[in-house]
């Protein structure tokens, strides 16, 4: 992994929730599938297609092992957004005869909220549960929201902005007890914290390779095959690929890369989780020691090891990020909504008022970050915040 100080004029990268760099080990295994093993995995009549197909199935096994699933439960997509849409809309069409009620949460990613909004326009009932000041949804609230019409519960495993980890296992148990399917958008969790679809009683799970050092443009949806067998109505038609759930020529190099990224995450997650938690805590302590009045967004302990979201009174977050952009790559929130000048719906949901959302920034640490990065960043951050506060 490159170090930030080896590349001239490159800002320190602390936005790993938006995307991660491709691990060199991942890139290495991908390269032959662009030029030498370039076959279409659906071309079963010759060796080129067979090679590609074998590579895809190997990646399926690697990804399945990461979440304790079966290889034939992994359905490849273009990313987590497509996986979320396939899960929600696919369930809605398949199970509409049982009921038209879905339970979700106000702090979900828009890849979940927007399909739910679409279904609502078609006559579905959507229950959007609130969260507490830490961004946690109450499992008892999930239980109370279930009706005879409920066909799906969709609660994200870990929040992409504030890092709060949801009580996934408790919610999975509640869903199973009531015979309701449980989907989790685990985009920020997979590869960073342990996820076990059997232990957590998850029926559908969305993930994206570029969030755990794989390539962009490839993701997957876990679809349970046994107890219960989950059926989905395909949202893309034309060829019946991926067990009829997702038509389209498979992105073989991307799939190979995602598989390798999953294998690396499986092996190195525990050590990396500890290293990043220590680094994150050092960052938070350094910020508190150098910048007055900062407050934490999200749960103090039940959060992703590499996430830090903070409220900086008196400093408008977009202005701060802009002033820092040549030195440090930070974010005000979700990369999917940064083009929209509205306050973060996640921060707003915590109950502190909309103003807090305009004064909050997110740090996402990763494999390339070190204490040296943090020390350099703190000095620049301290200087710019002092200037901005003096102006205001």
């Amino acid at each position: 992994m490159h170090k930030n100080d080896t590349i001239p004029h490159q800002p320190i990268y602390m936005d790993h929730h938006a995307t991660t760099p491709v691990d060199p080990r991942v890139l290495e295994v991908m390269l032959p599938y662009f030029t030498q093993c370039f076959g279409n995995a659906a071309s079963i009549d010759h060796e080129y297609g067979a090679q590609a197909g074998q590579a895809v199935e190997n990646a399926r096994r690697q990804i399945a092992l990461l979440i304790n699933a079966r290889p034939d439960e992994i359905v490849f997509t273009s990313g987590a957004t497509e996986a979320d849409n396939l899960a929600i809309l696919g369930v809605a069409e398949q199970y509409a005869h049982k009921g038209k009620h879905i339970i979700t949460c106000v702090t979900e990613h828009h890849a979940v909220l927007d399909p739910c909004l679409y279904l609502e326009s078609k006559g579905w009932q959507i229950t959007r549960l609130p969260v507490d000041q830490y961004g946690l949804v109450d499992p008892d609230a999930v239980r109370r929201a279930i009706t005879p019409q409920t066909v799906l519960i969709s609660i994200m495993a870990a929040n992409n902005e504030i890092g709060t980890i949801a009580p996934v296992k408790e919610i999975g148990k509640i869903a199973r007890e009531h015979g309701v399917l449980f989907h989790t958008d685990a985009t920020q969790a997979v590869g960073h914290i342990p996820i076990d679809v059997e232990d957590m009683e998850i029926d559908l799970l969305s993930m994206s390779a570029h969030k755990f050092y794989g390539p962009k443009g490839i993701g997957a949806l876990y679809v349970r095959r046994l107890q219960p067998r989950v059926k989905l109505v395909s949202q893309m038609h034309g060829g019946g690929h991926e067990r009829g759930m997702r038509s389209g020529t498979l992105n073989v190099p991307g799939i190979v890369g995602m598989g390798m990224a999953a294998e690396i995450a499986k092996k190195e997650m525990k050590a990396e989780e500890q290293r990043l938690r220590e680094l994150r805590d050092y960052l938070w302590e350094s910020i508190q020691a150098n910048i007055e009045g900062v407050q934490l967004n999200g749960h103090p302990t039940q959060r992703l090891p590499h996430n830090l979201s903070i409220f900086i009174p008196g400093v408008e977050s977009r202005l701060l990020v802009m002033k820092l952009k040549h030195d440090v790559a930070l974010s005000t929130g979700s990369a999917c909504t940064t083009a929209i000048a509205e306050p973060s719906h996640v921060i707003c949901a915590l109950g502190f008022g909309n103003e807090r959302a305009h004064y909050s920034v997110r740090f996402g640490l990763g494999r390339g970050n070190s204490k040296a990065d943090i020390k350099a960043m703190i000095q620049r951050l301290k200087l710019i915040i002092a200037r901005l506060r003096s102006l205001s």
Side-chain angles (χ1 to χ4, degrees):
M1 184 59 60
H2 75 267
K3 297 294 181 185
N4 290 300
D5 57 5
T6 64
I7 303 174
H9 312 299
Q10 279 286 96
I12 297 167
Y13 188 73
M14 292 191 179
D15 196 19
H16 288 83
H17 297 299
T19 195
T20 58
V22 173
D23 189 293
R25 294 167 290 181
V26 170
L27 179 60
E28 185 180 0
V29 299
M30 288 176 65
L31 288 175
Y33 292 90
F34 288 106
T35 54
Q36 297 165 311
C37 310
F38 56 82
N40 186 327
S43 299
I44 59 174
D45 295 330
H46 53 67
E47 189 61 29
Y48 290 93
Q51 280 184 338
Q54 188 176 2
V56 166
E57 295 314 309
N58 182 56
R60 240 187 263 278
R61 285 190 291 273
Q62 291 169 311
I63 295 161
L65 279 170
L66 183 59
I67 60 169
N68 191 29
R70 290 170 28 164
D72 61 358
E73 294 175 314
I74 303 300
V75 175
F76 289 113
T77 67
S78 62
T81 294
E82 185 190 338
D84 285 338
N85 275 261
L86 176 56
I88 293 164
L89 301 178
V91 164
E93 285 192 55
Q94 181 67 44
Y95 297 95
H97 64 283
K98 289 188 174 182
K100 290 189 173 184
H101 178 227
I102 291 174
I103 299 167
T104 188
C105 177
V106 293
T107 52
E108 292 293 311
H109 192 280
H110 282 289
V112 167
L113 294 176
D114 288 358
C116 287
L117 194 65
Y118 167 78
L119 287 173
E120 200 169 36
S121 74
K122 300 296 182 183
W124 281 69
Q125 182 188 357
I126 309 295
T127 298
R128 300 171 182 85
L129 297 173
V131 294
D132 65 14
Q133 62 180 321
Y134 302 118
L136 280 172
V137 64
D138 183 0
D140 286 332
V142 175
R143 182 183 284 107
R144 290 192 298 269
I146 295 171
T147 75
Q149 298 294 306
T150 309
V151 295
L152 181 68
I153 296 166
S154 182
I155 303 290
M156 100 187 332
N159 191 269
N160 55 303
E161 294 192 34
I162 59 173
T164 297
I165 298 171
V168 175
K169 186 173 179 177
E170 293 174 65
I171 295 168
K173 188 173 187 292
I174 291 164
R176 188 63 55 82
E177 286 171 354
H178 288 80
V180 176
L181 295 180
F182 175 39
H183 165 251
T184 186
D185 178 347
T187 310
Q188 296 291 339
V190 167
H192 299 284
I193 59 173
I195 296 289
D196 185 324
V197 295
E198 291 301 328
D199 182 59
M200 296 174 170
E201 300 185 272
I202 296 165
D203 299 309
L204 296 138
L205 179 147
S206 305
M207 63 183 109
S208 200
H210 77 103
K211 303 294 188 180
F212 54 97
Y213 306 93
K216 296 174 184 66
I218 184 67
L221 178 66
Y222 157 76
V223 184
R224 179 177 289 279
R225 293 203 74 169
L226 293 172
Q227 299 177 328
R229 181 183 178 90
V230 180
K231 296 181 180 179
L232 299 175
V233 172
S234 175
Q235 301 303 300
M236 290 179 68
H237 307 280
H241 306 78
E242 294 301 274
R243 292 175 23 229
M245 294 188 206
R246 200 275 186 181
S247 291
T249 300
L250 291 176
N251 172 7
V252 178
I255 288 168
V256 168
M258 185 175 184
M260 186 61 178
E263 183 175 303
I264 293 167
K266 176 78 172 172
K267 290 177 183 175
E268 301 180 2
M269 186 193 306
K270 189 174 181 180
E272 187 69 354
E273 185 182 351
Q274 183 178 339
R275 187 188 79 85
L276 287 176
R277 183 174 284 109
E278 290 172 1
L279 198 63
R280 191 268 317 279
D281 291 345
Y282 174 73
L283 170 61
W284 178 223
E285 288 161 10
S286 301
I287 288 172
Q288 288 176 298
N290 286 277
I291 300 160
E292 189 180 350
V294 291
Q295 296 175 39
L296 185 71
N297 294 321
H299 199 280
T301 57
Q302 197 170 320
R303 65 188 301 123
L304 290 168
H306 58 306
N307 173 276
L308 184 67
S309 174
I310 60 169
F311 166 51
I312 310 173
V315 179
E316 204 278 320
S317 56
R318 287 185 179 273
L319 184 57
L320 175 63
V321 168
M322 185 181 72
K323 293 287 186 184
L324 280 168
K325 72 177 183 178
H326 296 300
D327 302 300
V328 187
L330 290 180
S331 172
T332 58
S334 172
C336 301
T337 54
T338 49
I340 305 169
E342 294 177 357
S344 159
H345 71 285
V346 174
I347 306 290
C348 290
L350 304 181
F352 299 110
N354 287 11
E355 182 182 349
R356 186 165 178 134
H358 288 292
Y359 293 83
S360 291
V361 293
R362 178 187 69 180
F363 299 83
L365 301 176
R367 287 180 190 164
N369 292 134
S370 64
K371 274 194 175 182
D373 289 337
I374 290 173
K375 288 175 182 175
M377 187 272 297
I378 288 291
Q379 295 308 310
R380 188 67 180 146
L381 188 68
K382 182 180 178 181
L383 181 66
I384 290 177
I385 286 174
R387 284 179 186 171
L388 292 175
R389 280 178 168 171
S390 67
L391 290 172
S392 65

